[in-house]
Amino acid sequence: MKSGNWLWRALGLTTLACLCALLVGFGWALRDTWFPQDGLAIPESPEASTATGGAWADKPELFVTSLGDSLTYGVGDTTGQGYVKRVTDRLADTLNKPVTLVNNLAVNGSQTKQLLASFEQSGVKYAIGKADIVLLTIGGNDLFQIAQEGGSIAEGGDVSPELLEARLPEATPRLEALFKKLRSLNANARIVYVGLYNPFYDLPEMRSGSGIVAKWNAAAYALAEADGNATVVPTYDLFETNIKRYLSGDHFHPNAEGYDRIAERIVQALN
Protein backbone atom coordinates (compact mmCIF):
# COMPACT_ATOMS: atom_id res chain seq x y z
CA MET A 1 0.00 0.00 0.00
CA LYS A 2 2.83 2.40 0.88
CA SER A 3 4.59 1.69 -2.38
CA GLY A 4 1.33 2.45 -4.22
CA ASN A 5 1.00 5.82 -2.46
CA TRP A 6 4.59 6.64 -3.31
CA LEU A 7 3.97 5.84 -6.98
CA TRP A 8 0.91 8.09 -7.15
CA ARG A 9 2.76 10.92 -5.44
CA ALA A 10 5.65 10.59 -7.88
CA LEU A 11 3.28 10.63 -10.83
CA GLY A 12 1.50 13.66 -9.41
CA LEU A 13 4.71 15.60 -8.89
CA THR A 14 5.93 14.71 -12.39
CA THR A 15 2.64 15.86 -13.92
CA LEU A 16 2.79 19.14 -11.97
CA ALA A 17 6.38 19.77 -13.11
CA CYS A 18 5.42 19.14 -16.74
CA LEU A 19 2.46 21.52 -16.44
CA CYS A 20 4.66 24.27 -14.97
CA ALA A 21 7.21 23.82 -17.76
CA LEU A 22 4.43 24.00 -20.36
CA LEU A 23 3.02 27.23 -18.91
CA VAL A 24 6.46 28.84 -18.74
CA GLY A 25 7.19 27.87 -22.33
CA PHE A 26 3.82 29.18 -23.49
CA GLY A 27 4.36 32.50 -21.75
CA TRP A 28 7.86 32.80 -23.20
CA ALA A 29 6.56 32.17 -26.71
CA LEU A 30 3.98 34.97 -26.34
CA ARG A 31 6.21 37.46 -24.53
CA ASP A 32 6.42 39.84 -27.52
CA THR A 33 2.64 39.96 -27.78
CA TRP A 34 1.98 40.48 -24.07
CA PHE A 35 5.01 42.62 -23.26
CA PRO A 36 6.36 44.21 -26.49
CA GLN A 37 9.94 45.35 -26.15
CA ASP A 38 11.29 48.72 -27.21
CA GLY A 39 14.34 47.41 -29.01
CA LEU A 40 17.66 46.44 -27.49
CA ALA A 41 18.98 48.66 -24.72
CA ILE A 42 22.24 50.51 -25.25
CA PRO A 43 24.24 52.50 -22.75
CA GLU A 44 23.74 56.21 -22.59
CA SER A 45 26.61 58.08 -24.21
CA PRO A 46 27.70 61.59 -23.22
CA GLU A 47 28.81 62.29 -26.76
CA ALA A 48 27.31 61.28 -30.08
CA SER A 49 29.47 58.99 -32.15
CA THR A 50 29.85 60.08 -35.76
CA ALA A 51 30.33 57.83 -38.77
CA THR A 52 33.58 58.57 -40.54
CA GLY A 53 32.09 58.77 -44.02
CA GLY A 54 34.10 57.85 -47.08
CA ALA A 55 33.81 54.86 -49.40
CA TRP A 56 32.68 51.59 -47.87
CA ALA A 57 35.51 49.78 -49.63
CA ASP A 58 38.00 51.70 -47.49
CA LYS A 59 36.37 50.67 -44.20
CA PRO A 60 37.37 47.50 -42.38
CA GLU A 61 33.91 47.25 -40.80
CA LEU A 62 30.44 48.67 -41.42
CA PHE A 63 27.95 49.63 -38.72
CA VAL A 64 24.16 49.38 -39.08
CA THR A 65 21.41 50.93 -36.97
CA SER A 66 17.78 49.94 -37.55
CA LEU A 67 14.77 52.04 -36.59
CA GLY A 68 11.02 52.07 -36.89
CA ASP A 69 8.07 49.84 -36.22
CA SER A 70 7.18 46.16 -35.91
CA LEU A 71 8.51 45.31 -39.38
CA THR A 72 12.01 46.30 -38.33
CA TYR A 73 11.40 44.52 -35.02
CA GLY A 74 10.61 41.38 -37.03
CA VAL A 75 7.06 40.60 -35.90
CA GLY A 76 5.61 37.66 -37.82
CA ASP A 77 8.92 35.89 -38.43
CA THR A 78 9.00 32.62 -36.51
CA THR A 79 12.78 32.39 -37.02
CA GLY A 80 13.30 35.62 -35.05
CA GLN A 81 15.59 37.12 -37.70
CA GLY A 82 13.31 39.62 -39.43
CA TYR A 83 14.90 41.49 -42.30
CA VAL A 84 17.60 43.23 -40.22
CA LYS A 85 19.63 40.13 -39.30
CA ARG A 86 19.30 38.82 -42.83
CA VAL A 87 20.61 42.09 -44.26
CA THR A 88 23.64 42.31 -41.98
CA ASP A 89 24.55 38.67 -42.59
CA ARG A 90 24.24 38.95 -46.37
CA LEU A 91 26.07 42.25 -46.56
CA ALA A 92 28.94 40.74 -44.59
CA ASP A 93 29.11 37.92 -47.13
CA THR A 94 28.87 40.09 -50.23
CA LEU A 95 31.25 42.78 -48.97
CA ASN A 96 33.61 40.27 -47.33
CA LYS A 97 33.92 42.32 -44.15
CA PRO A 98 32.21 42.53 -40.74
CA VAL A 99 28.83 44.25 -40.75
CA THR A 100 27.86 44.99 -37.16
CA LEU A 101 24.41 45.92 -35.86
CA VAL A 102 24.80 48.82 -33.43
CA ASN A 103 21.22 48.40 -32.23
CA ASN A 104 17.74 47.51 -33.41
CA LEU A 105 15.71 50.37 -31.96
CA ALA A 106 12.36 49.35 -33.49
CA VAL A 107 9.24 49.59 -31.34
CA ASN A 108 6.07 47.62 -32.05
CA GLY A 109 3.23 49.92 -33.03
CA SER A 110 5.47 52.95 -33.57
CA GLN A 111 4.26 55.82 -35.73
CA THR A 112 6.24 58.69 -37.22
CA LYS A 113 5.48 60.96 -34.25
CA GLN A 114 6.85 58.43 -31.74
CA LEU A 115 9.95 57.82 -33.83
CA LEU A 116 10.61 61.55 -34.14
CA ALA A 117 10.29 61.97 -30.39
CA SER A 118 12.80 59.16 -29.78
CA PHE A 119 15.48 61.08 -31.70
CA GLU A 120 15.89 63.31 -28.64
CA GLN A 121 17.24 60.41 -26.58
CA SER A 122 21.04 60.36 -26.27
CA GLY A 123 21.22 56.60 -26.83
CA VAL A 124 19.28 56.88 -30.07
CA LYS A 125 21.45 59.78 -31.22
CA TYR A 126 24.54 57.71 -30.50
CA ALA A 127 23.27 54.70 -32.48
CA ILE A 128 22.27 56.83 -35.47
CA GLY A 129 25.49 58.83 -35.40
CA LYS A 130 27.66 55.71 -35.40
CA ALA A 131 25.89 54.05 -38.34
CA ASP A 132 27.16 53.73 -41.88
CA ILE A 133 23.71 52.38 -42.83
CA VAL A 134 20.35 53.26 -41.27
CA LEU A 135 17.55 50.76 -41.97
CA LEU A 136 14.05 52.15 -41.52
CA THR A 137 10.40 51.09 -41.66
CA ILE A 138 7.73 53.55 -40.57
CA GLY A 139 4.34 54.78 -41.76
CA GLY A 140 2.32 51.58 -41.78
CA ASN A 141 0.84 52.37 -38.37
CA ASP A 142 0.18 55.97 -39.40
CA LEU A 143 -2.04 54.84 -42.26
CA PHE A 144 -3.32 51.43 -41.13
CA GLN A 145 -4.41 52.34 -37.60
CA ILE A 146 -6.01 49.03 -36.70
CA ALA A 147 -8.26 49.67 -33.69
CA GLN A 148 -8.04 47.07 -30.93
CA GLU A 149 -11.84 46.81 -30.87
CA GLY A 150 -12.47 47.60 -34.51
CA GLY A 151 -12.71 44.03 -35.74
CA SER A 152 -10.14 41.46 -36.69
CA ILE A 153 -7.13 42.46 -38.74
CA ALA A 154 -7.96 39.72 -41.23
CA GLU A 155 -11.30 41.45 -41.86
CA GLY A 156 -9.72 44.88 -42.20
CA GLY A 157 -10.67 46.20 -38.77
CA ASP A 158 -11.34 49.93 -38.99
CA VAL A 159 -9.39 50.22 -42.23
CA SER A 160 -10.85 51.62 -45.43
CA PRO A 161 -9.41 53.47 -48.45
CA GLU A 162 -11.20 56.61 -47.25
CA LEU A 163 -9.47 56.45 -43.85
CA LEU A 164 -6.08 55.90 -45.47
CA GLU A 165 -6.64 58.94 -47.67
CA ALA A 166 -7.68 61.04 -44.67
CA ARG A 167 -4.55 60.12 -42.69
CA LEU A 168 -2.12 60.83 -45.52
CA PRO A 169 -1.94 64.67 -45.32
CA GLU A 170 -1.16 64.63 -41.60
CA ALA A 171 1.40 61.83 -41.69
CA THR A 172 3.42 62.80 -44.78
CA PRO A 173 4.95 66.00 -43.28
CA ARG A 174 6.16 63.95 -40.32
CA LEU A 175 7.97 61.63 -42.73
CA GLU A 176 9.74 64.67 -44.17
CA ALA A 177 10.68 65.87 -40.69
CA LEU A 178 11.98 62.40 -39.90
CA PHE A 179 14.29 62.35 -42.93
CA LYS A 180 15.63 65.80 -42.04
CA LYS A 181 16.25 64.84 -38.42
CA LEU A 182 18.04 61.64 -39.42
CA ARG A 183 20.33 63.57 -41.71
CA SER A 184 21.05 66.16 -39.05
CA LEU A 185 22.17 63.36 -36.71
CA ASN A 186 24.35 61.67 -39.33
CA ALA A 187 25.57 63.48 -42.42
CA ASN A 188 27.19 60.42 -44.01
CA ALA A 189 25.05 57.33 -43.47
CA ARG A 190 23.10 55.67 -46.25
CA ILE A 191 19.43 55.79 -45.26
CA VAL A 192 17.45 52.79 -46.47
CA TYR A 193 13.69 53.24 -46.23
CA VAL A 194 11.56 50.14 -46.80
CA GLY A 195 8.46 51.18 -48.73
CA LEU A 196 4.92 50.35 -47.62
CA TYR A 197 2.67 47.67 -49.06
CA ASN A 198 -1.08 47.07 -48.87
CA PRO A 199 -1.57 44.00 -46.65
CA PHE A 200 -5.27 43.91 -47.49
CA TYR A 201 -4.94 43.80 -51.27
CA ASP A 202 -6.72 40.45 -51.33
CA LEU A 203 -9.87 42.11 -49.97
CA PRO A 204 -11.78 43.60 -52.94
CA GLU A 205 -12.96 46.62 -50.93
CA MET A 206 -9.35 47.46 -49.99
CA ARG A 207 -7.63 47.13 -53.36
CA SER A 208 -8.01 50.84 -54.07
CA GLY A 209 -6.03 51.43 -50.89
CA SER A 210 -2.92 50.58 -52.89
CA GLY A 211 -3.27 53.95 -54.61
CA ILE A 212 -2.95 55.74 -51.26
CA VAL A 213 0.01 53.56 -50.31
CA ALA A 214 1.57 54.52 -53.65
CA LYS A 215 1.20 58.21 -52.76
CA TRP A 216 3.01 57.62 -49.48
CA ASN A 217 5.82 55.76 -51.24
CA ALA A 218 6.06 58.53 -53.84
CA ALA A 219 6.58 61.04 -51.02
CA ALA A 220 9.35 58.82 -49.63
CA TYR A 221 10.99 58.59 -53.07
CA ALA A 222 10.95 62.39 -53.37
CA LEU A 223 12.56 62.75 -49.94
CA ALA A 224 15.22 60.17 -50.79
CA GLU A 225 16.01 61.91 -54.07
CA ALA A 226 16.30 65.28 -52.34
CA ASP A 227 18.57 63.78 -49.70
CA GLY A 228 21.01 62.34 -52.23
CA ASN A 229 22.21 59.46 -50.04
CA ALA A 230 18.95 57.65 -49.30
CA THR A 231 17.29 54.67 -50.96
CA VAL A 232 13.67 53.55 -51.02
CA VAL A 233 13.26 49.79 -51.37
CA PRO A 234 9.89 48.84 -52.92
CA THR A 235 7.85 46.00 -51.43
CA TYR A 236 4.29 46.63 -52.65
CA ASP A 237 4.61 44.35 -55.68
CA LEU A 238 5.88 41.45 -53.57
CA PHE A 239 2.82 41.39 -51.36
CA GLU A 240 0.15 42.34 -53.87
CA THR A 241 0.97 39.31 -55.98
CA ASN A 242 1.94 36.91 -53.16
CA ILE A 243 -0.06 37.88 -50.07
CA LYS A 244 -0.78 34.33 -48.94
CA ARG A 245 2.82 33.32 -49.53
CA TYR A 246 4.61 36.23 -47.85
CA LEU A 247 2.26 37.43 -45.07
CA SER A 248 2.15 35.90 -41.60
CA GLY A 249 -1.01 34.62 -39.97
CA ASP A 250 -1.94 38.09 -38.63
CA HIS A 251 -2.59 39.25 -42.23
CA PHE A 252 -0.43 42.31 -41.67
CA HIS A 253 3.25 41.48 -41.06
CA PRO A 254 5.55 39.47 -43.32
CA ASN A 255 6.39 35.89 -42.51
CA ALA A 256 9.94 34.51 -42.64
CA GLU A 257 9.86 34.19 -46.43
CA GLY A 258 8.45 37.71 -46.79
CA TYR A 259 11.23 39.18 -44.64
CA ASP A 260 13.75 37.20 -46.66
CA ARG A 261 12.55 38.81 -49.89
CA ILE A 262 12.69 42.27 -48.30
CA ALA A 263 16.26 41.63 -47.13
CA GLU A 264 17.20 40.41 -50.60
CA ARG A 265 16.03 43.67 -52.15
CA ILE A 266 17.79 45.80 -49.55
CA VAL A 267 21.11 44.04 -50.15
CA GLN A 268 20.67 44.43 -53.91
CA ALA A 269 20.07 48.16 -53.43
CA LEU A 270 23.21 48.51 -51.32
CA ASN A 271 25.55 46.72 -53.74
Side-chain angles (χ1 to χ4, degrees), residues 55-220:
W56 288 356
D58 299 331
K59 296 185 175 185
E61 181 178 11
L62 292 180
F63 293 96
V64 176
T65 291
S66 54
L67 306 163
D69 52 30
S70 53
L71 265 74
T72 294
Y73 191 80
V75 171
D77 186 352
T78 55
T79 71
Q81 295 187 76
Y83 77 84
V84 176
K85 177 93 167 42
R86 289 176 166 89
V87 167
T88 55
D89 288 350
R90 291 181 184 180
L91 273 181
D93 288 340
T94 58
L95 299 176
N96 195 30
K97 67 177 64 181
V99 177
T100 301
L101 180 65
V102 179
N103 205 349
N104 187 340
L105 297 169
V107 179
N108 292 347
S110 183
Q111 298 183 19
T112 49
K113 55 187 175 184
Q114 282 93 21
L115 184 56
L116 276 169
S118 75
F119 288 171
E120 301 306 316
Q121 301 172 19
S122 60
V124 174
K125 290 180 179 179
Y126 172 86
I128 293 173
K130 187 175 179 61
D132 298 294
I133 302 168
V134 174
L135 302 176
L136 172 65
T137 63
I138 201 70
N141 294 312
D142 290 77
L143 299 186
F144 296 96
Q145 294 176 1
I146 305 295
Q148 292 296 321
E149 299 177 356
S152 71
I153 291 179
E155 295 174 351
D158 66 343
V159 171
S160 71
E162 292 75 22
L163 285 174
L164 298 186
E165 187 78 55
R167 292 163 183 159
L168 196 64
E170 179 184 355
T172 304
R174 293 199 296 264
L175 183 65
E176 181 178 4
L178 192 152
F179 266 76
K180 289 181 178 178
K181 186 63 176 179
L182 271 178
R183 187 52 71 204
S184 72
L185 294 174
N186 189 320
N188 302 307
R190 173 77 64 85
I191 299 171
V192 179
Y193 177 79
V194 179
L196 299 188
Y197 57 86
N198 178 6
F200 304 113
Y201 187 75
D202 57 333
L203 304 178
E205 64 274 20
M206 277 301 297
R207 289 197 172 181
S208 61
S210 293
I212 293 92
V213 171
K215 292 180 182 179
W216 175 274
N217 288 335

